[in-house]
């Protein structure tokens, strides 16, 4: 039997009414979940034993089942199974205090980022992406997205416990960069973000610590502005001109570059957020110097930061990663042109834990 999600406020209210529970009990249950980072009713010791058992009969906190978990010093990858048997993935990334200057993994934990999935598979079919090759199965529900954070917070609590100030370690940044195109699941993503931002019965995250990565679905970028959801945007750009983008990303044909520019200007004006542009480095495809100059011309006057992402090699796709010298030369042209640029760390890629590689194991099977 599938239990009801505890986040279903209506069902929880009905449960409480039937048992004549005081209203503060519901508050207490949500405090146990969001503040104390408990996902098992038996851990919720501020509630009576009878209530814990009763809740456990009817509700579940995390609506996904953990299938597998793989840990490294800097990342933990989790495979979740949905109630209807699909597999999705999330990755926790541990940032150490001096990671910019000192790669010592024993350095004090500074902040924690969680990369979550928004769909099972992805319908976008980008040429370079393993997740896209899996095809699209369905959208994730609000509670399936929130469950990824609830599980991660409980896992982090068990692994690291309390910080010096007495508060529990928890996810500080959420990025929608796992499986799926989040803006194609707009309504559920919006509802999940509401819970992330909420102080009560929510994660109290700052809007600046939530990032939606999108392949530029223009109507939904406009909707974000209209709905006043001022989270950060990472645009999967990957090419500085329409011809190359059409080849790499089928969706580009539907939404031309100049229309995207207009939509993004509206977004920047409304949110005052800098936009992150993701640019994949594929040997002899996207890493040519003339493309770097085009990228400078495209982004120079914008509130922009470019992330160069070395292509993640895998046997299912016939493309090759740019070599380090080409990446550095490309980066230099961008910086000389006045752009701020980061080359994404290669560790996650080696572990097949990086963007565009979620679903890798399934595909090679
Ligand atoms: S890169 Fe992103 S949008 Fe494109 S297929 Fe992969 S998951 Fe979907």
């Amino acid at each position: 039997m599938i239990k009801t999600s505890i986040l279903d406020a209506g069902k929880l209210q009905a449960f409480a009414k039937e048992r004549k529970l005081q209203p503060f009990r519901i508050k207490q249950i949500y405090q146990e979940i969001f503040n104390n980072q408990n996902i098992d009713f038996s851990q919720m010791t501020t509630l009576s034993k009878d209530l814990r058992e009763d809740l456990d009969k009817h509700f579940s906190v995390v609506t996904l089942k953990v299938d597998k978990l793989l840990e490294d010093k800097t990342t933990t990858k989790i495979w979740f199974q949905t109630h209807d048997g699909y597999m999705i993935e999330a990755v926790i990334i541990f940032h150490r205090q001096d990671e910019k200057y000192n790669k010592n993994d024993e350095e004090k934990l500074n902040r924690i980022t969680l990369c979550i999935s928004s769909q099972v598979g992805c319908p976008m079919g980008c040429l370079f992406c393993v997740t896209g090759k899996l095809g699209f199965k369905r959208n994730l529900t609000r509670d399936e997205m929130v469950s990824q954070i609830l599980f991660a917070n409980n896992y982090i609590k068990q692994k690291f416990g309390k910080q010096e100030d007495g508060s529990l370690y928890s996810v500080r940044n959420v990025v929608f960069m796992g499986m799926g195109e989040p803006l194609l699941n707009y309504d559920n993503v919006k509802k999940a973000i509401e819970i992330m931002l909420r102080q009560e019965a929510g994660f109290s995250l700052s809007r600046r610590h939530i990032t939606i990565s999108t392949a530029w679905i223009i109507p939904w970028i406009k909707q974000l502005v209209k709905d006043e959801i001022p989270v950060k945007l990472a645009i999967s750009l990957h090419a500085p001109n329409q011809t190359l983008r059409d080849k790499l990303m089928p969706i580009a044909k539907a939404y031309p570059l100049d229309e995207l520019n207009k939509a993004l200007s509206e977004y920047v004006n409304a949110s005052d957020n800098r936009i992150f542009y993701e640019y994949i480095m594929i040997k002899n495809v996207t890493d040519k110097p003339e493309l770097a100059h085009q990228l400078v011309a495209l982004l120079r006057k914008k509130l922009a930061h470019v992330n160069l992402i070395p292509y993640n090699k895998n046997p299912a796709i016939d493309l090759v990663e740019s070599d380090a010298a080409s990446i550095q030369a490309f980066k230099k042209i961008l910086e000389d042109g006045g752009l701020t640029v980061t080359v994404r760390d290669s560790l996650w890629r080696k572990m097949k834990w990086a963007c565009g590689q979620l679903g890798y194991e399934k595909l090679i099977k």
Side-chain angles (χ1 to χ4, degrees), residues 95-98 104-110 164 169:
H95 306 270
R96 303 283 162 179
Q97 197 160 44
D98 292 332
N104 181 358
D105 291 336
E106 302 310 321
E107 284 298 320
K108 192 169 157 269
L109 187 60
N110 186 20
E164 275 165 16
Y169 278 103

Side-chain angles (χ1 to χ4, degrees), residues 119 121-133 177-182 213-215 236 238 248-251 355-358:
Q119 295 182 314
C122 181
M124 305 295 275
C126 300
L127 191 75
F128 48 83
C129 176
V130 170
T131 311
K133 295 261 177 284
M177 285 187 188
M179 280 184 170
E181 163 52 62
S213 173
T214 174
S236 301
H238 305 313
L248 296 176
M249 306 178 78
I251 188 68
C355 218
Q357 286 193 308
L358 297 179

Side-chain angles (χ1 to χ4, degrees), residues 134-154:
L134 294 173
F136 172 69
K137 304 294 182 226
R138 71 167 172 85
N139 284 331
L140 293 184
T141 63
R142 173 197 74 168
D143 294 353
E144 286 169 331
M145 284 181 266
V146 170
S147 286
Q148 295 171 63
I149 313 175
L150 291 171
F151 176 83
N153 272 350
N154 180 263

Side-chain angles (χ1 to χ4, degrees), residues 207-212 230-234 267 273-274 276:
R207 67 179 179 89
R208 294 192 181 277
H209 292 164
I210 302 170
T211 303
I212 291 180
V231 296
K232 292 205 297 196
L233 267 191
Y267 171 83
N273 278 347
R274 185 164 60 152
F276 291 81

